[in-house]
């Protein structure tokens, strides 16, 4: 199938899905979310696809976050609805996919990009990758599961620091935090993911699905996701969110008032 904002290619049973908006550092706008939803349906339903790799076009960015330009005019309810739709149609679909899905993080994985990587079954990163949840710079919090999945992966105290400072961290740091399984040179990234998937393809597919189901059962926090969606929506009723998103788009520092 072909997609407006994605490239996809199937080789040896692995569908490589490339988010293709390099001029906007592959930011997740509504079109990308729609396409990711459709491509995940294809992964679920096409028997020729045994696994998937999600990556970003270009050498600079995996995904630099949700598209901030779509945030400026949303109400609290619309903000919560945006997060809930993304959860249901993309992030939960990836997490619960019966076939393995690897994030091949090839540059910036910020905000929704970091959350997208965390929703995959595991992460392989190139040595130039940079992770972060910088939503607090915009007067926001993560809305695609970041407060929950990052905490599960790196632990409470480190998650608190990363979520409150919004600071970027390197692929090596992410590996040390237990978030990234391996760090490789950028031109070896897809090859490394394919190698791992070839090992998995030789195993019993129904057993692989059950591994995914059981690991996700252990981690399952639907109430946490719902609570995050509610709190994310509440940010949209604040002046600080207007100031933060305007400041980003106007390329200046925000001046937050706590209102
Ligand atoms: N949403 C919308 N547009 C984005 C974007 C996002 N999340 N991230 C980057 N872009 C756009 C920029 O506005 C710019 O567009 P322009 O060329 O039309 O001005 C283009 O992508 C290139 O980004 P730029 O900021 O010029 O690149 P840089 O190398 O100077 O900085 C980043 C790279 C990733 C540090 C910076 O783009 C950034 O901070 N992005 C936002 C990260 C973020 O807050 N994500 C969470 C969103 S909830």
């Amino acid at each position: 199938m072909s997609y407006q904002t994605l490239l996809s290619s199937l080789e040896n049973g692995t569908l490589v899905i490339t988010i293709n908006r390099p001029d906007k550092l592959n930011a997740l706008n509504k079109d990308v979310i729609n396409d990711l939803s459709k491509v995940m349906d294809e992964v679920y339903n096409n028997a020729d696809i045994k696994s998937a790799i999600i990556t970003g076009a270009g050498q600079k960015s995996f995904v630099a976050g949700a598209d901030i330009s779509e945030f400026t005019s949303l109400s609290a309810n619309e903000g919560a609805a945006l997060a809930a739709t993304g959860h249901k149609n993309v992030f939960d679909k990836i997490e619960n996919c019966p076939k393995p899905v690897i994030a091949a993080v090839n540059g910036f994985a910020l905000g929704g990009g970091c959350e997208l990587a965390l929703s995959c079954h595991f992460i392989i990163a190139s040595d130039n990758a940079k992770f972060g949840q910088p939503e607090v710079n915009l007067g926001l919090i993560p809305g695609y599961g970041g407060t929950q999945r990052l905490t599960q992966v790196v632990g409470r105290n480190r998650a608190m620091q990363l979520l409150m400072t919004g600071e970027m961290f390197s692929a090596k740091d992410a590996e040390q935090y237990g978030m990234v399984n391996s760090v490789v040179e950028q031109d070896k990234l897809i090859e490394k993911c394919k190698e791992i998937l070839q090992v998995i393809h030789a195993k019993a597919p129904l057993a692989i699905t059950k591994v995914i189901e059981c690991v996700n059962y252990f981690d399952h926090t639907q109430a946490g996701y719902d609570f995050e969606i509610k709190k994310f929506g509440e940010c949209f009723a604040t002046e600080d969110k207007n100031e933060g998103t305007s400041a980003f788009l106007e390329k200046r520092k925000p001046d937050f008032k706590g209102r």
Side-chain angles (χ1 to χ4, degrees), residues 23-25 27 60 64 66-68 71 108 110-111 134 138 248 251:
D23 54 325
K24 294 289 177 189
L25 305 185
K60 187 170 170 183
D67 193 314
I68 296 165
F71 282 176
F108 290 117
L110 303 176
L138 303 165
F248 176 78
K251 300 186 189 289

Side-chain angles (χ1 to χ4, degrees), residues 134-188:
E135 288 85 352
V136 286
N137 296 326
L138 303 165
L140 286 168
I141 63 167
Y144 287 140
T147 63
Q148 306 300 297
R149 292 192 182 101
L150 184 70
T151 306
Q152 283 165 2
V153 170
V154 306
R156 174 190 181 273
N157 290 14
R158 192 164 311 274
M160 284 283 191
Q161 183 179 344
L162 295 172
L163 292 163
M164 288 197 275
T165 62
E167 275 168 9
M168 285 194 232
F169 51 100
S170 68
K172 272 279 162 220
D173 285 343
E175 188 181 34
Q176 197 207 321
Y177 302 162
M179 179 173 162
V180 159
N181 292 16
S182 309
V183 181
V184 297
E185 287 167 33
Q186 189 164 50
D187 61 354
K188 308 262 166 43

Side-chain angles (χ1 to χ4, degrees), residues 5-255:
T5 62
L6 306 176
L7 305 171
S8 67
S9 72
L10 181 61
E11 198 189 312
N12 295 328
T14 297
L15 190 73
V16 181
I17 301 164
T18 306
I19 300 169
N20 190 27
R21 291 185 80 206
D23 54 325
K24 294 289 177 189
L25 305 185
N26 305 317
L28 302 174
N29 64 5
K30 288 202 175 93
D31 294 334
V32 179
I33 293 289
N34 283 338
D35 281 347
L36 282 172
S37 174
K38 286 189 207 146
V39 82
M40 287 313 299
D41 289 341
E42 190 186 347
V43 175
Y44 272 63
N45 297 323
N46 182 342
D48 294 337
I49 300 175
K50 295 184 191 153
S51 63
I53 296 170
I54 301 181
T55 193
Q59 299 197 318
K60 187 170 170 183
S61 185
F62 173 70
V63 168
D67 193 314
I68 296 165
S69 67
E70 289 185 349
F71 282 176
T72 50
S73 61
L74 298 184
S75 67
N77 284 344
E78 288 166 338
L82 177 106
T85 304
H87 262 276
K88 179 167 166 283
N89 292 347
V90 176
F91 294 78
D92 290 355
K93 231 185 245 181
I94 294 171
E95 182 172 69
N96 296 317
C97 182
K99 305 169 187 180
V101 184
I102 304 184
V105 174
N106 58 317
F108 290 117
L110 303 176
C114 192
E115 293 171 293
L116 183 67
L118 286 164
S119 72
C120 295
H121 297 139
F122 54 91
I123 305 173
I124 308 294
S126 61
D127 47 14
N128 69 326
K130 289 265 182 206
F131 295 83
Q133 295 288 168
E135 288 85 352
V136 286
N137 296 326
L138 303 165
L140 286 168
I141 63 167
Y144 287 140
T147 63
Q148 306 300 297
R149 292 192 182 101
L150 184 70
T151 306
Q152 283 165 2
V153 170
V154 306
R156 174 190 181 273
N157 290 14
R158 192 164 311 274
M160 284 283 191
Q161 183 179 344
L162 295 172
L163 292 163
M164 288 197 275
T165 62
E167 275 168 9
M168 285 194 232
F169 51 100
S170 68
K172 272 279 162 220
D173 285 343
E175 188 181 34
Q176 197 207 321
Y177 302 162
M179 179 173 162
V180 159
N181 292 16
S182 309
V183 181
V184 297
E185 287 167 33
Q186 189 164 50
D187 61 354
K188 308 262 166 43
L189 180 61
I190 300 297
E191 191 185 310
K192 172 75 180 172
C193 296
K194 284 182 173 170
E195 257 172 47
I196 298 169
L197 288 168
Q198 284 309 309
V199 174
I200 300 174
H201 288 178
K203 316 298 175 194
L206 297 178
I208 297 299
T209 301
K210 289 184 200 312
V211 166
I212 295 168
E213 286 171 348
C214 290
V215 174
N216 284 346
Y217 188 81
F218 176 74
D219 277 346
H220 205 64
T221 57
Q222 191 54 47
Y225 295 147
D226 291 344
F227 192 65
E228 183 195 85
I229 290 167
K230 180 171 174 286
K231 293 286 153 190
F232 179 76
E234 286 172 11
C235 295
F236 283 79
T238 66
E239 284 176 30
D240 282 349
K241 174 251 133 194
N242 292 340
E243 168 61 10
T245 52
S246 305
F248 176 78
L249 296 171
E250 291 160 16
K251 300 186 189 289
R252 62 174 173 80
K253 274 199 182 329
D255 178 15

